[in-house]
Amino acid sequence: MLIILFQLLWCCFQLMLQFVEDDRAKCLDGTLGSYYFQEGFEGGQNNFIVFFEGGELILGNTEEEFLMNAVEKMQTQQGSSLNRASSLEQDGILSSDKQKNYYFHNWNLIHINYCDGVGFQGYKSESVYFQKHTMYFRGELIIRSIFDHFKTKFQKAELIILSGCSIGGIAALQWEQYLTSLVPNNIEILFVADSSILFDMQTIDGINLLQQSLKIMNYIANNETQNPHKKCAFNFPNQNWKCLYFQNLLLYIQRPVFIIQPFYDIKFLQNYLDIKCIKDQTLKNCQNNEMNLIDLVYLKFNQIIQESLIKNYNTGSFAPSCISHCFFVSQLSFSLKWTIPEGSNRTVYQTLVKWVKRQQSNQYNQGDFGLIDQVPWPMNSACAELSSLINKIKLINMILLIIIIFF
C-alpha cells in the first residue's frame, strides 16, 4: 500500500511527457511535438504556467548553410522528441519544491519542448529534403495543438503566465493573441521573458548573422503563414522576421510583462555575435575589440529595458550585471547572493512573486519592480565571483575523478 501511495505521489509531482494530438505537428526530424505537464493542486489548481523551453534559432548566412545547420539541430533535442525522458524535474520557478518555490509549486505547469528550430512558429506544408535528410517546419501547428488541447482548462483559469527562456521568451509574447482568443476576457494573462532580448547587431567579424538568418528562416518557414502575433505581422508586412526582435514585438503586447535579462547574456554573445572569449563566467580573457562589442550589448540591453519600463507602467524587470543565461529554471533565482541592488533581499524569485501579486491586486508601483543593476561587470561582486566558484567546482571534480580512478 505504501509503495502504491508513493508511486501516486511521485506521479503527481513530476512533469510527465505528452505528445501533441495533431499528427501534422512535427519537429524538425518528423517526430511529433511534445510537452511535459504537471497537474495543479490545492490553491494552484486554477493557475497555469506555460513555459516555452529555451534554445537557439537555426543560423546561416546562406540558405545552404541554414539547412546544413538545420540538419545538425534535428539530430538534437532542439529538433526532435525522440530522446525526451518520460518525466522531467525542474529547478527555479518551475520547481516542485514547496519550501523553495512556495508560490508556484502547486500550479498547473505546461513545459513546451523546443523542437522546430525556428522559435515555436512557422509552417511549411511540404517537407524539405536536403543532403538525404527530410525536415519539417511546423512549429505553429505544435503550439496550436497544445493550446487547443488545454482550451477547456484555460477557460476555467484564474491566472495564466506565459513564460519562456531565450527564444522561448519571444514565443511567449508571440502567442499572446492566440491564447487571448481562446479564453474569456476576465482571465488574467501575464508574461515573463527570461534572457530573451534579441536585436540586430553584427558579429565580432562584422557579419549580419542574426538578420540574415531570420530572413532565410522567414523565406523557408513562414512563406505559407504569418508570425503568430498578427498585429506585429501586419505592421511588418514584408518583414515578419522583425517580430522576433524583442523590442519590436513588445510594442504590441498590451498585458503586463516581466523582463529577466542578464546584461551579459552568454548565449546571445556567443551564439549570435560569435564572441568566443567568455570562459568560466569571466570576461578577463577578452580582447579590446571583443570588450567594445560586449559593452555595446550592455548599453543596448539597458536601453531596451529602460524604454520598456517607460512605455508600459505594468512592466517589471530584473536585470543583473551577470554573465549568465536563463534564471527562470535555475536555483540562482532563489539565491540571496544574486540580488538587485547587491546585498538586498531582492532575488529574481522574490521580485517576480511580488510583481505577480501586485498585478492581481491592481496596487502597482513600478519602482518596486523595475530592478536594473546600476553597475557593470565585474563591479557586481556576486556575479564576478561566480567564475572563481566554477573553477573551485572544477578542481573538486578533478580531484574526485583522480580518487575514483586510482583508488
Side-chain angles (χ1 to χ4, degrees), residues 19-36:
F19 290 92
V20 296
E21 296 167 350
D22 185 349
D23 60 9
R24 301 170 302 157
K26 297 179 179 181
C27 301
L28 269 174
D29 70 339
T31 55
L32 282 177
S34 63
Y35 60 96
Y36 291 95

Side-chain angles (χ1 to χ4, degrees), residues 40-51:
F41 60 95
E42 296 176 349
Q45 62 184 350
N46 294 323
N47 296 327
F48 284 81
I49 292 180
V50 180
F51 179 77

Side-chain angles (χ1 to χ4, degrees), residues 257-306:
V257 179
F258 191 87
I259 303 167
I260 305 172
Q261 182 63 54
F263 280 135
Y264 301 87
D265 188 331
I266 190 167
K267 294 295 185 180
F268 180 78
L269 294 170
Q270 290 180 337
N271 296 339
Y272 297 118
L273 302 186
D274 205 27
I275 295 175
K276 304 299 185 185
C277 60
I278 306 172
K279 297 178 181 178
D280 298 333
Q281 313 302 116
T282 180
L283 304 177
K284 293 179 180 178
N285 300 314
C286 297
Q287 303 298 315
N288 287 338
N289 64 327
E290 293 167 320
M291 282 305 305
N292 288 338
L293 189 55
I294 291 170
D295 288 341
L296 284 176
V297 171
Y298 167 83
L299 293 173
K300 187 65 176 178
F301 278 151
N302 203 322
Q303 176 190 343
I304 291 172
I305 296 169
Q306 295 277 10

Side-chain angles (χ1 to χ4, degrees), residues 4 6-7 32 36 44 72 76 128 137 164 171 189 238 268-269 295 303 333 363 369 374 382-383 390 404:
I4 293 173
F6 175 78
Q7 288 175 335
L32 282 177
Y36 291 95
E72 286 188 17
T76 71
V128 175
F137 293 92
I189 302 175
N238 299 314
F268 180 78
L269 294 170
D295 288 341
Q303 176 190 343
S333 60
Q363 297 176 348
F369 307 106
Q374 299 301 310
C383 295
I390 289 173
I404 291 171

Side-chain angles (χ1 to χ4, degrees), residues 40 70 80 94 108 121 162 188 190 211 227 268 270 308 369-370 384:
S80 174
L94 304 185
N108 295 280
Q121 59 90 52
L162 282 186
E188 189 161 17
L190 306 177
Q211 181 186 124
N227 183 277
F268 180 78
Q270 290 180 337
S308 301
F369 307 106

Side-chain angles (χ1 to χ4, degrees), residues 355-370:
W355 179 80
V356 172
K357 287 181 177 179
R358 288 290 181 89
Q359 296 298 332
Q360 291 179 290
S361 67
N362 292 319
Q363 297 176 348
Y364 188 71
N365 180 3
Q366 192 179 63
D368 296 334
F369 307 106

Side-chain angles (χ1 to χ4, degrees), residues 98 101-107 159 349 353 356-357 360:
K98 183 177 180 179
N101 189 16
Y102 59 87
Y103 194 73
F104 302 108
H105 74 278
N106 58 359
W107 287 30
L159 173 62
Y349 186 79
V353 168
V356 172
K357 287 181 177 179
Q360 291 179 290

Side-chain angles (χ1 to χ4, degrees), residues 10-11 13-18 36-37 84-90:
W10 182 85
C11 168
F13 287 96
Q14 292 283 318
L15 284 160
M16 307 305 294
L17 183 65
Q18 313 281 336
Y36 291 95
F37 176 61
R84 291 282 179 177
S86 60
S87 63
L88 180 69
E89 291 186 50
Q90 286 282 24

